[in-house]
């Protein structure tokens, strides 16, 4: 099974891409809604949560882990890899590759949670690959709550988004990394506020392609991942409101299961 985790519903934007690129493959998703958000927590806490999330997915039968959370991906992929010795995919690598392929002026914006931005992961990785590029980052802590609230088309959301994006817009970026898996849900308003000429980069498709390539290769084939089309969605806290948002994100009927942490 492919195990995917996030702090909440944001990782479902990645699951959507996985279902498209890897139809038939069994997926188990864990959204740690009881402890969300992760982006406001310390690196030590995020790392502990990431290890616990991966352990849970492995106990459910996952053989490969997708960290569908930028916050966890910016702090903990190495420790998860070393602790469990399974293939681990993070959302940073595909976003970095896609941004570098898209930019023409090497001025790249990054938005993410406070923890992701403070980690400096995108600056580090972008500059390693393209030393001349300029990276401008902004933490947008309120956006996760707006998505989880379902406030996608409210004027308040547009106003907050505009305020967050203004400092990046004035830097002349031509590419903007949506460095949080919740943000693609707000892509429309983000695009409007940052300007039509800026390319928005989200890691879901790149990650799904990277995983599909891996699965088609020798190491992936050895894992013998089941393909019975089973999709399970586990959450550490479940409300009707959250279930509604999750179903809207996946665009279909979902069987949501409550699990205790
Ligand atoms: N969706 C997550 C991310 O990509 C985290 C949101 C949060 O829990 O703060 O960073």
């Amino acid at each position: 099974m492919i195990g995917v985790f996030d702090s909440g519903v944001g990782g479902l934007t990645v699951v959507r891409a996985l279902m498209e690129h890897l139809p038939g493959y069994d997926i188990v998703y864990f959204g740690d809604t009881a402890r969300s958000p992760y982006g406001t927590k310390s690196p030590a806490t995020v790392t502990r949560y990431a290890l616990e999330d991966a352990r849970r997915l492995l106990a459910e039968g996952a053989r490969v882990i997708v960290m569908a959370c930028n916050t966890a991906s910016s702090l903990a992929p190495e420790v998860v890899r070393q602790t469990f010795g399974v293939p681990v995919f993070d959302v940073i690598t595909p976003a970095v590759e896609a941004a570098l392929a898209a930019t023409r002026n090497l001025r790249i914006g990054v938005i993410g949670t406070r923890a992701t931005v403070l980690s400096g992961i995108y600056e580090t990785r972008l500059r390693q690959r393209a030393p001349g590029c300029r990276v401008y980052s902004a933490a947008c802590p309120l956006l996760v709550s707006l998505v989880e609230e379902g406030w996608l088309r409210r004027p308040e959301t547009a106003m907050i988004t505009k305020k967050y994006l203004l400092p990046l817009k004035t830097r002349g970026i031509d590419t903007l990394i949506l460095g949080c898996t919740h943000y693609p849900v707000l892509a429309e308003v983000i695009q409007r506020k940052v300007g039509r000429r800026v390319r928005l980069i989200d890691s879901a498709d790149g990650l799904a392609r990277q995983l599909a390539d891996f699965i088609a290769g020798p190491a992936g084939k050895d894992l013998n991942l089941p393909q019975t089309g089973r999709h399970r969605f586990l959450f550490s806290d479940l409300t009707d409101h959250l279930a509604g948002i999750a179903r809207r994100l996946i665009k279909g009927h979902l069987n949501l299961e409550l699990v205790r942490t």
Side-chain angles (χ1 to χ4, degrees), residues 50-52 54-55 58 65 79-86 88:
L51 285 166
E52 289 172 9
R55 184 171 290 116
L58 294 170
I65 299 291
V79 66
V80 172
R81 241 171 240 132
Q82 279 163 19
T83 305
F84 301 113
V86 294
V88 173

Side-chain angles (χ1 to χ4, degrees), residues 6-7 36-39 69-71 113 144 180-182:
D6 178 42
S7 61
S36 168
Y38 282 7
C69 171
N70 284 260
T71 308
T113 65
V144 168
C180 172
T181 51
H182 282 70

Side-chain angles (χ1 to χ4, degrees), residues 73 90 92-93 96 100 120-130:
S73 292
D90 64 77
I92 310 291
T93 313
V96 165
L100 289 174
I121 186 80
Y122 277 108
E123 283 90 335
T124 308
R125 300 282 291 281
L126 285 162
R127 291 225 189 87
Q128 272 167 359
R129 291 272 285 96

Side-chain angles (χ1 to χ4, degrees), residues 83-214:
T83 305
F84 301 113
V86 294
V88 173
F89 290 81
D90 64 77
V91 281
I92 310 291
T93 313
V96 165
E97 294 306 322
L100 289 174
T103 185
R104 294 285 164 264
N105 68 1
L106 284 177
R107 298 172 85 87
I108 299 173
V110 179
I111 53 173
T113 65
R114 193 171 282 129
T116 300
V117 169
L118 282 176
S119 78
I121 186 80
Y122 277 108
E123 283 90 335
T124 308
R125 300 282 291 281
L126 285 162
R127 291 225 189 87
Q128 272 167 359
R129 291 272 285 96
C133 86
R134 288 173 195 239
V135 185
Y136 304 99
S137 306
C140 306
L142 294 174
L143 297 191
V144 168
S145 311
L146 293 169
V147 170
E148 303 254 339
E149 250 334 284
W151 279 30
L152 310 186
R153 294 202 166 77
R154 301 267 187 132
E156 294 86 346
T157 303
M159 200 174 76
I160 292 166
T161 305
K162 183 178 175 187
K163 194 162 175 69
Y164 280 143
L165 293 177
L166 190 66
L168 301 183
K169 207 175 160 179
T170 55
R171 300 288 192 164
I173 57 166
D174 72 348
T175 305
L176 177 66
I177 295 179
L178 306 183
C180 172
T181 51
H182 282 70
Y183 298 173
V185 181
L186 295 173
E188 207 180 293
V189 62
I190 292 172
Q191 185 77 73
R192 218 174 339 114
K193 295 302 168 192
V194 79
R196 294 281 157 207
R197 299 233 291 264
V198 174
R199 275 280 299 275
L200 299 190
I201 301 296
D202 117 40
S203 43
D205 271 335
L207 183 128
R209 259 183 273 119
Q210 198 190 343
L211 185 59
D213 287 349
F214 169 79

